[in-house]
């Protein structure tokens, strides 16, 4: 159950505002539930073959996917544990007990040593796959940070610095992952190359990226990589990413290019997406419709600077309010924040703060923006907030608490803003990840 820990708003808001706030949280709950592996994974799990079943998982849903798979093979098929080799890596705080599958928690969004150690073991397991073995890859967003195996002489410290610089640059996820793939021994199809002797490789993925591109989800470890070394170099130059000599050497080495379509490693590889951002948004839309709101779907692939998109959506909401419409404006995708201040936050919290400023207390309009994985930017802790909630009293309550909303937006300090007024959205680890969910109720 998601939670906005508001206190004073509960005592000052009208009944209609409180009803709408509760509906926003309910819609978000429905969105998250629709994309949880407990609901969507089992229909896609294959029956075990005659050889070993090698289960490799990564990402924010890595723990829950591993737990579902473990129950399936133990309870539905009674598979002897000796026939299963399993290792899953999830973000710290996102692991789940999954008998027969070793569970490791590692850093996100900045990788750590636990991720490196687990990824090295993952590569060894994949390389050991034989012609009678089936490899099942359970993949979700967050896998790019959890499966971390720097190529060449690149160190963990150097990889962490590059990751932080990319995150601060405002680069979209496809650009970030392009660079990651060309500095890695597992990303960009390289896991499939390691497991190329297996009888089959089946990847079941929870998508968290715009357009559901398998090459971008968790940096595409089991699919051909359409991006190139030249693309990665151009991104680093355009974004002003400082690179150590070890990284420059990798990005200038033609032998370090990722495998492309047509490589024999992908002949026996299959890829299925089992949950998409649109699934979550449609669940939120159904909940809003059941409460009497007309859903206005902007789609799951919205991108752009968080504060700019918020201003655009606020204008849309004002127009619909002026027309007397009762609507729920729903959007997903992954917004970006170009960090220029010293505060803390994330794209959903920044969007919500910018939305509050753009709406300026407009009556009858409320909004919520949250990451379905349960954490929005932040410091990599499982307790980080997922987003923020906005109602017509937001700015008044903030100013009464001594806050300057515009100054805090300029300082990228959205977490402090919403924490102070009690409107952080904090569901805790949801153990799934289908990107952002933003809902604006009008009327």
């Amino acid at each position: 159950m998601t939670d906005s820990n508001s206190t004073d708003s509960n005592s000052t808001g009208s009944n209609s505002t409180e009803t709408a706030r509760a509906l926003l949280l309910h819609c978000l709950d429905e969105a998250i539930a629709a994309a949880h592996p407990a609901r969507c994974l089992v229909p896609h799990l294959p029956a075990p073959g005659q050889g070993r079943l090698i289960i490799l998982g990564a990402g924010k849903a890595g723990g829950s996917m591993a737990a579902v798979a473990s129950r399936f093979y133990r309870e539905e098929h009674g598979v002897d544990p000796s026939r299963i080799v399993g290792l899953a890596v999830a973000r710290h705080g996102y692991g789940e007990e999954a008998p027969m599958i070793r569970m490791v928690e590692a850093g996100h969004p900045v990788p750590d040593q636990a991720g490196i150690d687990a990824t090295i073991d993952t590569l060894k397991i994949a390389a050991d796959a034989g012609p009678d073995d089936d490899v099942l890859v359970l993949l979700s967003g967050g896998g790019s940070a959890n499966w971390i195996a720097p190529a060449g002489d690149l160190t963990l410290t150097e990889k962490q610095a590059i990751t932080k610089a990319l995150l601060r640059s405002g680069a979209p996820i496809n650009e970030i992952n392009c660079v990651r793939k060309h500095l890695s021994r597992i990303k960009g199809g390289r896991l499939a190359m390691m497991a190329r002797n297996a009888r089959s490789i089946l990847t079941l993925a929870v998508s968290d990226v715009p357009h559901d591109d398998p090459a971008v989800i968790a940096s595409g470890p089991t699919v051909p990589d359409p991006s190139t070394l030249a693309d990665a170099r151009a991104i680093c130059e355009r974004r002003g990413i400082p690179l150590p000599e070890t990284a420059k050497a990798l990005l200038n080495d033609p032998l370090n290019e990722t495998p492309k379509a047509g490589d024999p490693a992908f002949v026996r590889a299959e890829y299925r997406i089992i949950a998409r951002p649109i699934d979550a948004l449609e669940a939120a839309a159904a909940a809003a419709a059941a409460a009497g709101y007309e859903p206005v779907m902007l789609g799951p692939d919205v991108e752009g600077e968080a504060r700019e998109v918020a201003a655009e959506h606020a204008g849309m909401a004002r127009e619909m309010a002026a027309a007397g419409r009762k609507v729920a404006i729903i959007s997903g995708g992954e917004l970006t924040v170009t960090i220029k201040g010293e505060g803390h936050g994330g794209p959903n919290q920044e969007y919500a703060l910018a939305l509050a400023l753009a709406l300026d207390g407009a009556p009858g309009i409320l909004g919520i923006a949250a990451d379905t994985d349960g954490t929005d930017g932040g410091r990599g802790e499982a307790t980080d907030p997922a987003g923020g909630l906005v109602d017509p009293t937001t700015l008044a309550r903030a100013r009464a608490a001594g806050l300057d909303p515009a100054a805090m937006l300029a300082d990228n300090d959205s977490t402090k803003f919403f924490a102070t007024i009690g409107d952080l959205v904090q569901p805790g680890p949801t153990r799934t990840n289908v990107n952002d969910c933003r809902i604006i109720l009008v009327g």
Side-chain angles (χ1 to χ4, degrees):
M1 171 73 70
T2 52
D3 177 52
S4 169
N5 57 350
S6 178
T7 53
D8 50 9
S9 67
N10 286 341
S11 62
T12 60
S14 67
N15 289 337
S16 60
T17 296
E18 291 309 310
T19 299
R21 287 171 62 94
L23 177 59
L24 286 171
L25 293 168
H26 172 64
C27 290
L28 180 60
D29 283 337
E30 291 295 298
I32 292 169
H36 195 281
R39 182 178 295 186
C40 58
L41 177 58
V42 168
H44 298 276
L45 289 171
Q50 298 304 308
R52 293 185 304 164
L53 177 59
I54 298 173
I55 300 175
L56 304 173
K60 296 172 189 174
S64 56
M65 295 177 87
V68 170
S70 175
R71 289 194 298 271
F72 177 78
Y73 290 112
R74 282 183 296 119
E75 299 172 6
E76 298 295 326
H77 292 279
V79 177
D80 189 317
S82 66
R83 290 183 52 209
I84 290 185
V85 178
L87 174 57
V89 189
R91 176 178 176 157
H92 287 297
Y94 283 63
E96 285 193 28
E97 183 180 354
M100 304 190 296
I101 301 172
R102 177 184 161 204
M103 189 73 242
V104 176
E105 294 187 349
H108 180 282
V110 179
D112 61 14
Q113 188 62 45
I116 286 186
D117 294 341
T119 305
I120 290 173
D121 288 346
T122 296
L123 290 170
K124 289 178 180 177
I125 294 170
D128 189 52
D132 294 326
D133 299 332
D134 295 299
V135 176
L136 175 62
V137 179
L138 304 175
L139 204 59
S140 67
S144 294
N146 294 153
W147 269 348
I148 168 72
D153 296 324
L154 192 68
T155 67
L156 172 60
T157 300
E158 291 170 335
K159 188 67 178 289
Q160 289 172 327
I162 294 169
T163 300
K164 289 177 181 178
L166 285 165
L167 291 169
R168 291 181 66 89
S169 73
I173 191 63
N174 62 310
E175 291 189 8
I176 293 173
N177 285 358
C178 172
V179 177
R180 284 167 157 170
K181 284 187 279 191
H182 289 91
L183 299 174
S184 173
R185 288 185 285 138
I186 192 169
K187 298 176 175 65
R190 299 184 200 268
L191 178 60
M193 290 189 69
M194 295 297 289
R196 60 185 175 274
N197 293 325
R199 187 175 77 96
S200 69
I201 304 171
L202 172 61
T203 301
L204 301 178
V206 175
S207 171
D208 71 323
V209 302
H211 313 294
D212 303 320
D213 185 351
V216 179
I217 301 169
S219 297
T222 58
V223 295
D225 180 28
S227 71
T228 65
L229 287 164
D231 293 332
R233 291 194 300 268
I235 290 166
C236 290
E237 181 177 354
R238 184 169 65 254
R239 298 288 178 181
I241 307 301
L243 296 175
E245 291 303 316
T246 49
K248 291 178 182 177
L250 288 167
L251 297 184
N252 284 291
D253 182 1
L255 296 179
N256 186 47
E257 187 57 274
T258 48
K260 308 303 179 188
D263 191 294
F266 305 113
V267 170
R268 292 183 293 278
E270 182 184 355
Y271 195 104
R272 294 183 213 156
I273 296 177
I274 64 166
R276 296 171 167 80
I278 189 62
D279 301 329
L281 299 186
E282 287 178 345
Y293 288 82
E294 173 196 351
V296 176
M297 184 70 74
L298 304 184
D301 303 320
V302 177
E303 296 180 272
E305 192 73 19
R307 61 184 65 188
E308 296 173 3
V309 175
E312 178 184 342
H313 289 182
M316 185 182 305
R318 284 178 174 278
E319 289 178 5
M320 293 183 178
R325 297 177 64 182
K326 185 176 182 180
V327 301
I329 303 170
I330 299 171
S331 65
E334 187 163 59
L335 305 182
T336 54
V337 174
T338 302
I339 300 175
K340 298 179 180 178
E342 299 298 323
H344 297 285
N348 287 286
Q349 295 163 84
E350 179 134 335
Y351 170 96
L353 176 50
L355 181 70
L357 283 162
L359 290 173
D360 194 24
I365 305 177
L366 300 89
I368 193 169
D371 197 318
T372 57
D373 65 24
T375 58
D376 176 48
R379 305 177 188 181
E381 303 294 334
T383 54
D384 288 338
L389 191 153
V390 171
D391 68 31
T393 71
T394 295
L395 295 186
R397 288 186 286 119
R399 289 169 180 144
L403 303 181
D404 183 337
M408 296 184 82
L409 180 62
D411 197 35
N412 303 117
D413 207 9
S414 52
T415 296
K416 182 179 179 180
F417 177 87
F418 286 107
T420 301
I421 64 173
D423 277 341
L424 285 174
V425 177
Q426 297 180 289
T430 65
R431 295 178 174 84
T432 190
N433 182 20
V434 286
N435 225 319
D436 301 339
C437 179
R438 296 177 294 272
I439 308 162
I440 300 175
L441 296 182
V442 179

